[in-house]
Short mmCIF file of all heavy atoms in Angstrom, two decimals:
data_model
loop_
_atom_site.label_atom_id
_atom_site.label_comp_id
_atom_site.label_asym_id
_atom_site.label_seq_id
_atom_site.Cartn_x
_atom_site.Cartn_y
_atom_site.Cartn_z
N GLN A 228 8.71 20.08 -16.35
CA GLN A 228 8.97 20.78 -17.60
C GLN A 228 7.64 21.26 -18.16
O GLN A 228 6.70 20.47 -18.30
CB GLN A 228 9.67 19.85 -18.60
CG GLN A 228 9.84 20.43 -19.98
CD GLN A 228 10.83 21.60 -20.00
OE1 GLN A 228 11.95 21.46 -19.55
NE2 GLN A 228 10.39 22.74 -20.52
N THR A 229 7.59 22.53 -18.52
CA THR A 229 6.36 23.08 -19.08
C THR A 229 6.51 23.23 -20.60
O THR A 229 7.57 23.64 -21.10
CB THR A 229 6.04 24.44 -18.44
OG1 THR A 229 5.81 24.21 -17.05
CG2 THR A 229 4.80 25.06 -19.05
N TYR A 230 5.46 22.84 -21.31
CA TYR A 230 5.38 22.98 -22.75
C TYR A 230 4.11 23.76 -23.10
O TYR A 230 3.11 23.66 -22.39
CB TYR A 230 5.30 21.62 -23.45
CG TYR A 230 6.42 20.66 -23.13
CD1 TYR A 230 6.28 19.70 -22.12
CD2 TYR A 230 7.63 20.70 -23.83
CE1 TYR A 230 7.30 18.82 -21.83
CE2 TYR A 230 8.66 19.82 -23.54
CZ TYR A 230 8.50 18.88 -22.53
OH TYR A 230 9.51 18.01 -22.24
N VAL A 231 4.16 24.49 -24.18
CA VAL A 231 2.94 25.11 -24.69
C VAL A 231 2.62 24.47 -26.04
O VAL A 231 3.45 24.46 -26.96
CB VAL A 231 3.09 26.64 -24.85
CG1 VAL A 231 1.80 27.25 -25.40
CG2 VAL A 231 3.45 27.29 -23.51
N LEU A 232 1.43 23.88 -26.13
CA LEU A 232 0.97 23.27 -27.38
C LEU A 232 0.04 24.25 -28.09
O LEU A 232 -0.55 25.13 -27.46
CB LEU A 232 0.21 21.97 -27.10
CG LEU A 232 0.87 20.95 -26.16
CD1 LEU A 232 0.03 19.68 -26.09
CD2 LEU A 232 2.28 20.61 -26.63
N ASP A 233 -0.10 24.06 -29.39
CA ASP A 233 -0.98 24.97 -30.14
C ASP A 233 -2.34 24.33 -30.40
O ASP A 233 -3.15 24.85 -31.16
CB ASP A 233 -0.33 25.38 -31.47
CG ASP A 233 -0.24 24.22 -32.44
OD1 ASP A 233 -0.41 23.05 -32.00
OD2 ASP A 233 0.00 24.46 -33.64
N TYR A 234 -2.56 23.18 -29.77
CA TYR A 234 -3.84 22.49 -29.97
C TYR A 234 -4.20 21.80 -28.66
O TYR A 234 -3.32 21.38 -27.90
CB TYR A 234 -3.71 21.45 -31.09
CG TYR A 234 -5.02 21.15 -31.79
CD1 TYR A 234 -5.45 21.91 -32.87
CD2 TYR A 234 -5.83 20.11 -31.35
CE1 TYR A 234 -6.66 21.65 -33.50
CE2 TYR A 234 -7.05 19.83 -31.98
CZ TYR A 234 -7.45 20.61 -33.05
OH TYR A 234 -8.66 20.35 -33.67
N HIS A 235 -5.48 21.69 -28.40
CA HIS A 235 -5.93 21.06 -27.14
C HIS A 235 -5.33 19.64 -27.03
O HIS A 235 -5.43 18.86 -27.97
CB HIS A 235 -7.46 21.00 -27.13
CG HIS A 235 -8.04 20.78 -25.78
ND1 HIS A 235 -7.84 19.64 -25.03
CD2 HIS A 235 -8.81 21.60 -24.99
CE1 HIS A 235 -8.47 19.73 -23.88
NE2 HIS A 235 -9.07 20.92 -23.82
N PRO A 236 -4.73 19.31 -25.89
CA PRO A 236 -4.09 17.99 -25.79
C PRO A 236 -5.08 16.82 -25.83
O PRO A 236 -4.69 15.69 -26.12
CB PRO A 236 -3.35 18.03 -24.46
CG PRO A 236 -3.98 19.14 -23.69
CD PRO A 236 -4.50 20.12 -24.69
N PHE A 237 -6.36 17.08 -25.55
CA PHE A 237 -7.35 16.00 -25.60
C PHE A 237 -7.97 15.96 -27.01
O PHE A 237 -9.18 16.15 -27.19
CB PHE A 237 -8.44 16.19 -24.55
CG PHE A 237 -7.94 16.18 -23.13
CD1 PHE A 237 -8.75 16.64 -22.10
CD2 PHE A 237 -6.68 15.70 -22.80
CE1 PHE A 237 -8.31 16.62 -20.79
CE2 PHE A 237 -6.23 15.68 -21.48
CZ PHE A 237 -7.05 16.15 -20.48
N ASP A 238 -7.13 15.70 -27.99
CA ASP A 238 -7.60 15.70 -29.39
C ASP A 238 -7.73 14.27 -29.92
O ASP A 238 -7.62 14.03 -31.12
CB ASP A 238 -6.61 16.49 -30.27
CG ASP A 238 -5.27 15.81 -30.39
OD1 ASP A 238 -4.95 14.95 -29.52
OD2 ASP A 238 -4.53 16.09 -31.34
N VAL A 239 -7.98 13.33 -29.02
CA VAL A 239 -8.05 11.91 -29.40
C VAL A 239 -9.46 11.57 -29.85
O VAL A 239 -10.44 11.87 -29.13
CB VAL A 239 -7.60 11.05 -28.20
CG1 VAL A 239 -7.89 9.57 -28.43
CG2 VAL A 239 -6.11 11.26 -27.93
N VAL A 240 -9.58 10.95 -31.01
CA VAL A 240 -10.91 10.54 -31.49
C VAL A 240 -11.24 9.10 -31.09
O VAL A 240 -12.40 8.69 -31.16
CB VAL A 240 -11.03 10.68 -33.03
CG1 VAL A 240 -10.75 12.12 -33.46
CG2 VAL A 240 -10.11 9.71 -33.76
N GLY A 241 -10.21 8.35 -30.68
CA GLY A 241 -10.46 6.99 -30.25
C GLY A 241 -9.18 6.36 -29.70
O GLY A 241 -8.08 6.83 -29.99
N TRP A 242 -9.34 5.36 -28.87
CA TRP A 242 -8.19 4.63 -28.34
C TRP A 242 -8.65 3.24 -27.92
O TRP A 242 -9.84 3.02 -27.66
CB TRP A 242 -7.54 5.36 -27.16
CG TRP A 242 -8.41 5.50 -25.93
CD1 TRP A 242 -9.27 6.52 -25.64
CD2 TRP A 242 -8.53 4.56 -24.84
NE1 TRP A 242 -9.91 6.29 -24.45
CE2 TRP A 242 -9.47 5.10 -23.93
CE3 TRP A 242 -7.94 3.33 -24.54
CZ2 TRP A 242 -9.84 4.44 -22.75
CZ3 TRP A 242 -8.29 2.69 -23.35
CH2 TRP A 242 -9.23 3.23 -22.49
N ASP A 243 -7.70 2.33 -27.84
CA ASP A 243 -7.99 1.03 -27.24
C ASP A 243 -6.73 0.49 -26.59
O ASP A 243 -5.63 0.96 -26.85
CB ASP A 243 -8.57 0.04 -28.26
CG ASP A 243 -7.54 -0.47 -29.27
OD1 ASP A 243 -6.47 0.16 -29.42
OD2 ASP A 243 -7.81 -1.49 -29.93
N GLY A 244 -6.92 -0.45 -25.68
CA GLY A 244 -5.77 -1.06 -25.03
C GLY A 244 -5.95 -1.25 -23.54
O GLY A 244 -7.08 -1.25 -23.04
N TYR A 245 -4.82 -1.42 -22.89
CA TYR A 245 -4.81 -1.77 -21.46
C TYR A 245 -4.28 -0.65 -20.57
O TYR A 245 -4.25 -0.80 -19.36
CB TYR A 245 -3.92 -3.00 -21.27
CG TYR A 245 -4.58 -4.31 -21.62
CD1 TYR A 245 -4.90 -4.62 -22.93
CD2 TYR A 245 -4.87 -5.25 -20.63
CE1 TYR A 245 -5.49 -5.83 -23.26
CE2 TYR A 245 -5.46 -6.45 -20.94
CZ TYR A 245 -5.78 -6.74 -22.25
OH TYR A 245 -6.38 -7.94 -22.56
N VAL A 246 -3.79 0.43 -21.16
CA VAL A 246 -3.24 1.53 -20.36
C VAL A 246 -4.26 2.66 -20.32
O VAL A 246 -4.60 3.23 -21.37
CB VAL A 246 -1.90 2.03 -20.96
CG1 VAL A 246 -1.39 3.26 -20.19
CG2 VAL A 246 -0.86 0.92 -20.95
N TYR A 247 -4.76 2.98 -19.14
CA TYR A 247 -5.73 4.06 -18.96
C TYR A 247 -5.92 4.27 -17.46
O TYR A 247 -5.62 3.38 -16.66
CB TYR A 247 -7.07 3.72 -19.64
CG TYR A 247 -7.63 2.37 -19.23
CD1 TYR A 247 -8.39 2.22 -18.08
CD2 TYR A 247 -7.36 1.23 -19.99
CE1 TYR A 247 -8.88 0.99 -17.70
CE2 TYR A 247 -7.85 -0.02 -19.61
CZ TYR A 247 -8.60 -0.13 -18.47
OH TYR A 247 -9.07 -1.36 -18.08
N PRO A 248 -6.43 5.41 -17.06
CA PRO A 248 -6.69 5.62 -15.63
C PRO A 248 -7.98 4.95 -15.21
O PRO A 248 -8.87 4.73 -16.04
CB PRO A 248 -6.80 7.15 -15.53
CG PRO A 248 -7.29 7.57 -16.88
CD PRO A 248 -6.72 6.61 -17.88
N TRP A 249 -8.07 4.63 -13.94
CA TRP A 249 -9.28 3.98 -13.44
C TRP A 249 -9.44 4.28 -11.96
O TRP A 249 -8.51 4.77 -11.31
CB TRP A 249 -9.23 2.46 -13.67
CG TRP A 249 -7.96 1.75 -13.28
CD1 TRP A 249 -6.81 1.71 -14.01
CD2 TRP A 249 -7.72 0.98 -12.10
NE1 TRP A 249 -5.87 0.95 -13.36
CE2 TRP A 249 -6.40 0.48 -12.18
CE3 TRP A 249 -8.49 0.63 -10.99
CZ2 TRP A 249 -5.81 -0.33 -11.20
CZ3 TRP A 249 -7.92 -0.18 -10.01
CH2 TRP A 249 -6.60 -0.65 -10.12
N THR A 250 -10.64 4.01 -11.46
CA THR A 250 -10.89 4.20 -10.03
C THR A 250 -11.34 2.89 -9.40
O THR A 250 -11.92 2.02 -10.06
CB THR A 250 -11.98 5.26 -9.76
OG1 THR A 250 -13.21 4.82 -10.33
CG2 THR A 250 -11.59 6.61 -10.34
N PHE A 251 -11.03 2.80 -8.12
CA PHE A 251 -11.52 1.69 -7.29
C PHE A 251 -11.85 2.29 -5.94
O PHE A 251 -11.03 2.99 -5.36
CB PHE A 251 -10.44 0.61 -7.15
CG PHE A 251 -10.75 -0.40 -6.08
CD1 PHE A 251 -11.76 -1.33 -6.27
CD2 PHE A 251 -10.07 -0.40 -4.87
CE1 PHE A 251 -12.08 -2.24 -5.27
CE2 PHE A 251 -10.38 -1.31 -3.87
CZ PHE A 251 -11.38 -2.23 -4.06
N ASN A 252 -13.07 2.05 -5.44
CA ASN A 252 -13.46 2.66 -4.17
C ASN A 252 -13.13 1.74 -3.00
O ASN A 252 -13.42 0.55 -3.04
CB ASN A 252 -14.96 2.99 -4.17
CG ASN A 252 -15.31 3.92 -3.04
OD1 ASN A 252 -15.43 3.53 -1.87
ND2 ASN A 252 -15.44 5.21 -3.36
N ILE A 253 -12.54 2.34 -1.97
CA ILE A 253 -12.09 1.54 -0.82
C ILE A 253 -13.27 0.78 -0.19
O ILE A 253 -13.09 -0.30 0.37
CB ILE A 253 -11.37 2.44 0.20
CG1 ILE A 253 -10.62 1.60 1.24
CG2 ILE A 253 -12.33 3.42 0.86
CD1 ILE A 253 -9.68 2.39 2.12
N ASN A 254 -14.46 1.35 -0.32
CA ASN A 254 -15.63 0.67 0.27
C ASN A 254 -16.06 -0.55 -0.54
O ASN A 254 -16.93 -1.31 -0.10
CB ASN A 254 -16.78 1.67 0.42
CG ASN A 254 -16.42 2.79 1.37
OD1 ASN A 254 -16.08 2.54 2.52
ND2 ASN A 254 -16.45 4.02 0.88
N ASP A 255 -15.48 -0.74 -1.72
CA ASP A 255 -15.74 -1.95 -2.50
C ASP A 255 -14.72 -3.05 -2.21
O ASP A 255 -14.78 -4.13 -2.81
CB ASP A 255 -15.73 -1.63 -4.00
CG ASP A 255 -17.00 -0.91 -4.42
OD1 ASP A 255 -18.06 -1.17 -3.81
OD2 ASP A 255 -16.93 -0.08 -5.36
N PHE A 256 -13.78 -2.77 -1.34
CA PHE A 256 -12.82 -3.80 -0.93
C PHE A 256 -13.54 -4.77 -0.01
O PHE A 256 -14.17 -4.36 0.97
CB PHE A 256 -11.63 -3.15 -0.21
CG PHE A 256 -10.50 -4.09 0.09
CD1 PHE A 256 -9.44 -4.23 -0.79
CD2 PHE A 256 -10.50 -4.85 1.26
CE1 PHE A 256 -8.39 -5.10 -0.51
CE2 PHE A 256 -9.46 -5.72 1.54
CZ PHE A 256 -8.40 -5.85 0.65
N GLU A 257 -13.49 -6.05 -0.34
CA GLU A 257 -14.16 -7.07 0.47
C GLU A 257 -13.18 -7.63 1.48
O GLU A 257 -12.28 -8.40 1.11
CB GLU A 257 -14.71 -8.19 -0.42
CG GLU A 257 -15.75 -7.72 -1.43
CD GLU A 257 -16.94 -7.04 -0.78
OE1 GLU A 257 -17.28 -7.39 0.36
OE2 GLU A 257 -17.51 -6.11 -1.40
N PRO A 258 -13.34 -7.28 2.74
CA PRO A 258 -12.34 -7.69 3.73
C PRO A 258 -12.29 -9.20 3.88
O PRO A 258 -13.31 -9.89 3.81
CB PRO A 258 -12.83 -7.04 5.03
CG PRO A 258 -13.87 -6.07 4.63
CD PRO A 258 -14.43 -6.52 3.32
N ILE A 259 -11.09 -9.69 4.09
CA ILE A 259 -10.88 -11.12 4.32
C ILE A 259 -10.65 -11.30 5.82
O ILE A 259 -9.75 -10.69 6.39
CB ILE A 259 -9.67 -11.62 3.50
CG1 ILE A 259 -9.98 -11.49 2.00
CG2 ILE A 259 -9.33 -13.06 3.88
CD1 ILE A 259 -8.79 -11.67 1.10
N THR A 260 -11.52 -12.05 6.44
CA THR A 260 -11.38 -12.26 7.89
C THR A 260 -11.16 -13.74 8.16
O THR A 260 -11.34 -14.59 7.28
CB THR A 260 -12.64 -11.78 8.64
OG1 THR A 260 -13.76 -12.51 8.16
CG2 THR A 260 -12.88 -10.30 8.40
N GLY A 261 -10.78 -14.05 9.39
CA GLY A 261 -10.48 -15.44 9.70
C GLY A 261 -10.78 -15.77 11.15
O GLY A 261 -11.14 -14.88 11.94
N ARG A 262 -10.60 -17.03 11.47
CA ARG A 262 -10.86 -17.46 12.84
C ARG A 262 -9.86 -16.84 13.80
O ARG A 262 -10.18 -16.49 14.91
CB ARG A 262 -10.82 -18.99 12.90
CG ARG A 262 -11.47 -19.56 14.13
CD ARG A 262 -11.69 -21.03 14.00
NE ARG A 262 -10.44 -21.79 13.97
CZ ARG A 262 -10.37 -23.10 13.85
NH1 ARG A 262 -11.47 -23.80 13.70
NH2 ARG A 262 -9.21 -23.72 13.84
N ILE A 263 -8.61 -16.73 13.31
CA ILE A 263 -7.61 -15.99 14.07
C ILE A 263 -7.03 -14.92 13.16
O ILE A 263 -7.38 -14.84 11.98
CB ILE A 263 -6.52 -16.92 14.65
CG1 ILE A 263 -5.87 -17.74 13.56
CG2 ILE A 263 -7.11 -17.80 15.75
CD1 ILE A 263 -4.70 -18.56 14.04
N HIS A 264 -6.12 -14.14 13.70
CA HIS A 264 -5.73 -12.88 13.06
C HIS A 264 -5.19 -13.03 11.64
O HIS A 264 -4.33 -13.86 11.37
CB HIS A 264 -4.68 -12.18 13.93
CG HIS A 264 -4.37 -10.80 13.46
ND1 HIS A 264 -5.26 -9.76 13.55
CD2 HIS A 264 -3.27 -10.29 12.86
CE1 HIS A 264 -4.72 -8.67 13.06
NE2 HIS A 264 -3.51 -8.96 12.62
N MET A 265 -5.72 -12.21 10.73
CA MET A 265 -5.24 -12.14 9.34
C MET A 265 -4.13 -11.09 9.26
O MET A 265 -4.32 -9.96 9.74
CB MET A 265 -6.37 -11.72 8.41
CG MET A 265 -7.42 -12.78 8.18
SD MET A 265 -6.79 -14.03 7.05
CE MET A 265 -7.16 -15.48 8.01
N PRO A 266 -3.01 -11.41 8.67
CA PRO A 266 -1.92 -10.44 8.59
C PRO A 266 -2.21 -9.39 7.52
O PRO A 266 -3.08 -9.58 6.66
CB PRO A 266 -0.72 -11.30 8.19
CG PRO A 266 -1.34 -12.40 7.40
CD PRO A 266 -2.69 -12.66 8.01
N PRO A 267 -1.48 -8.27 7.55
CA PRO A 267 -1.74 -7.17 6.61
C PRO A 267 -1.80 -7.56 5.13
O PRO A 267 -2.57 -6.94 4.39
CB PRO A 267 -0.61 -6.18 6.91
CG PRO A 267 -0.35 -6.39 8.36
CD PRO A 267 -0.51 -7.87 8.59
N PRO A 268 -1.03 -8.55 4.63
CA PRO A 268 -1.18 -8.87 3.20
C PRO A 268 -2.61 -9.24 2.79
O PRO A 268 -2.98 -9.11 1.62
CB PRO A 268 -0.21 -10.04 3.00
CG PRO A 268 0.84 -9.83 4.04
CD PRO A 268 0.10 -9.29 5.24
N ALA A 269 -3.44 -9.65 3.77
CA ALA A 269 -4.85 -9.95 3.44
C ALA A 269 -5.59 -8.69 3.02
O ALA A 269 -6.65 -8.75 2.41
CB ALA A 269 -5.54 -10.58 4.65
N HIS A 270 -5.02 -7.53 3.36
CA HIS A 270 -5.67 -6.25 3.04
C HIS A 270 -5.04 -5.57 1.84
O HIS A 270 -5.35 -4.42 1.53
CB HIS A 270 -5.59 -5.33 4.26
CG HIS A 270 -6.10 -5.94 5.53
ND1 HIS A 270 -7.42 -5.97 5.87
CD2 HIS A 270 -5.44 -6.59 6.53
CE1 HIS A 270 -7.56 -6.59 7.04
NE2 HIS A 270 -6.38 -6.98 7.45
N GLN A 271 -4.14 -6.27 1.17
CA GLN A 271 -3.39 -5.61 0.09
C GLN A 271 -4.31 -5.22 -1.06
O GLN A 271 -5.16 -6.00 -1.51
CB GLN A 271 -2.27 -6.52 -0.44
CG GLN A 271 -1.35 -5.76 -1.40
CD GLN A 271 -0.20 -6.62 -1.92
OE1 GLN A 271 -0.01 -7.75 -1.48
NE2 GLN A 271 0.55 -6.09 -2.86
N THR A 272 -4.10 -4.02 -1.55
CA THR A 272 -4.91 -3.50 -2.64
C THR A 272 -4.06 -3.27 -3.89
O THR A 272 -4.48 -3.58 -5.00
CB THR A 272 -5.60 -2.18 -2.20
OG1 THR A 272 -6.20 -2.39 -0.93
CG2 THR A 272 -6.66 -1.74 -3.20
N PHE A 273 -2.87 -2.70 -3.70
CA PHE A 273 -1.96 -2.43 -4.82
C PHE A 273 -0.57 -2.97 -4.49
O PHE A 273 -0.17 -3.03 -3.32
CB PHE A 273 -1.84 -0.92 -5.08
CG PHE A 273 -3.13 -0.26 -5.42
CD1 PHE A 273 -3.82 0.48 -4.47
CD2 PHE A 273 -3.68 -0.38 -6.69
CE1 PHE A 273 -5.03 1.10 -4.77
CE2 PHE A 273 -4.89 0.23 -7.01
CZ PHE A 273 -5.55 0.96 -6.05
N ALA A 274 0.15 -3.32 -5.56
CA ALA A 274 1.56 -3.72 -5.43
C ALA A 274 2.39 -2.70 -6.18
O ALA A 274 2.14 -2.40 -7.36
CB ALA A 274 1.76 -5.11 -6.04
#
Side-chain angles (χ1 to χ4, degrees):
Q228 173 68 54
T229 297
Y230 304 95
V231 180
L232 311 185
D233 69 345
Y234 206 87
H235 198 296
F237 298 166
D238 67 340
V239 170
V240 302
W242 65 270
D243 72 342
Y245 281 68
V246 175
Y247 52 85
W249 47 280
T250 62
F251 167 72
N252 195 282
I253 193 169
N254 297 303
D255 284 329
F256 187 93
E257 299 303 329
I259 296 168
T260 59
R262 197 167 67 181
I263 56 174
H264 188 70
M265 287 285 129
H270 308 277
Q271 189 178 354
T272 312
F273 300 102

